[in-house]
Amino acid sequence: MLISGNGSNLQALIDAVEAGRLDGAICAVISNRAEAPGLQRARDHGIPAQVLDHREFASRERFDAALLEAIEHYRPDLVILAGFMRILSDHFVNHFSGRLINIHPSLLPRHKGLNTHQRVLDAGDHEHGCSVHFVSCELDSGAVIGQARVPVCADDDATTLAAKVQRQEHRLYPACVQLLCTGQVRLTDRGVTYQGQLLPPTGLDLTDSH
Ligand code: GRF
């Protein structure tokens, strides 16, 4: 897994593995920031945690080449981005095509990029949420695997919305990773399939109604 910060999604995946809800293991966590709290979460659970500081590389391409090598050392089936605050070069994305996924705090294709919670409020949206998607060369534009929705209420601000969305993220990400681990979800030339059936552009609706 690749992180840059808190690592609450990493924690959700660690919890899912430890609870036996995931047919997989997290083989390593790599952060571009040494101070990322998520690194300690990994170490606390016996997962190798490594820092690769992008500021020590002359270019994006060189950093990405070193990152690619560090990841391949572990021979992962999946590369999971969770709050990894770096734009990845085309070479990196293409190398891991079909096994590189990300979680984004909006109902894609709405609100690509940063500050999604405030932008949802500014747009007057009645609904918000999060999306897990395959990573493609265009930012936040890869094929969507699944989404979870939350209502936007009159008294919501960016902070309350962020908390609501994160609660959904912590369910959605392990659920999507499990579908990939079991081979039920795949990226094909036609788009994302679930049990062999092509999904709509918004993927599976994995909203928790409780
Ligand atoms: C999440 O909100 C995710 O949607 C976005 O970055 C945030 C990471 O949070 N890509 P955390 O580090 O997992 O707590």
Side-chain angles (χ1 to χ4, degrees), residues 3-11 41 81-85 102-106 117 130-131 162 165-166 169-170:
I3 62 163
S4 298
N6 180 23
S8 69
N9 280 285
L10 162 65
Q11 188 68 55
R41 296 180 190 268
L81 309 180
F84 186 62
M85 301 304 285
N102 181 43
I103 189 158
H104 181 76
S106 80
H117 310 303
C130 44
S131 308
V165 168
Q166 276 236 312
E169 288 187 354
H170 299 159

Side-chain angles (χ1 to χ4, degrees), residues 16-51:
V17 171
E18 293 186 349
R21 284 184 280 118
L22 265 185
D23 293 332
I26 303 170
C27 53
V29 171
I30 301 175
S31 171
N32 62 315
R33 295 194 179 278
E35 67 279 14
L39 288 166
Q40 193 55 43
R41 296 180 190 268
R43 292 186 185 116
D44 287 346
H45 292 264
I47 300 167
Q50 187 179 337
V51 177

Side-chain angles (χ1 to χ4, degrees), residues 116-125 152-153 156-159 161:
T116 57
H117 310 303
Q118 190 55 50
R119 286 162 54 210
V120 160
L121 292 167
D122 294 347
D125 293 357
V152 180
C153 304
D156 270 323
D157 58 24
T159 308
L161 270 186

Side-chain angles (χ1 to χ4, degrees), residues 4-199:
S4 298
N6 180 23
S8 69
N9 280 285
L10 162 65
Q11 188 68 55
L13 284 157
I14 291 173
D15 293 346
V17 171
E18 293 186 349
R21 284 184 280 118
L22 265 185
D23 293 332
I26 303 170
C27 53
V29 171
I30 301 175
S31 171
N32 62 315
R33 295 194 179 278
E35 67 279 14
L39 288 166
Q40 193 55 43
R41 296 180 190 268
R43 292 186 185 116
D44 287 346
H45 292 264
I47 300 167
Q50 187 179 337
V51 177
L52 203 60
D53 189 336
H54 59 277
R55 293 168 302 188
E56 290 170 9
F57 294 84
S59 66
R60 183 178 304 283
E61 283 66 31
R62 286 200 188 172
F63 171 73
D64 284 4
L67 183 61
L68 190 154
E69 198 177 313
I71 294 170
E72 283 297 12
H73 170 75
Y74 296 99
R75 305 228 152 271
D77 296 315
L78 263 185
V79 179
I80 300 176
L81 309 180
F84 186 62
M85 301 304 285
R86 294 276 309 166
I87 291 176
L88 294 160
S89 55
D90 290 1
H91 175 72
F92 183 99
V93 170
N94 291 330
H95 178 88
F96 291 111
S97 176
R99 53 189 180 122
L100 180 63
I101 61 171
N102 181 43
I103 189 158
H104 181 76
S106 80
L107 296 172
L108 291 171
R110 282 188 75 69
H111 307 300
K112 299 172 183 176
L114 298 173
N115 302 321
T116 57
H117 310 303
Q118 190 55 50
R119 286 162 54 210
V120 160
L121 292 167
D122 294 347
D125 293 357
H126 296 297
E127 195 177 47
H128 186 25
C130 44
S131 308
V132 172
H133 63 94
F134 286 102
V135 176
S136 68
C137 292
E138 206 184 322
L139 188 69
D140 299 331
S141 298
V144 174
I145 297 167
Q147 294 186 326
R149 298 161 188 280
V150 300
V152 180
C153 304
D155 57 353
D156 270 323
D157 58 24
T159 308
T160 60
L161 270 186
K164 279 198 222 177
V165 168
Q166 276 236 312
R167 270 198 298 281
Q168 291 289 329
E169 288 187 354
H170 299 159
R171 286 186 39 263
L172 179 68
Y173 221 175
C176 289
V177 170
Q178 174 65 352
L179 292 171
L180 288 156
C181 286
T182 54
Q184 295 183 82
V185 160
R186 290 176 203 279
L187 181 62
T188 71
D189 292 345
R190 295 176 299 145
V192 181
T193 59
Y194 170 63
Q195 298 180 341
Q197 301 290 315
L198 191 63
L199 288 176

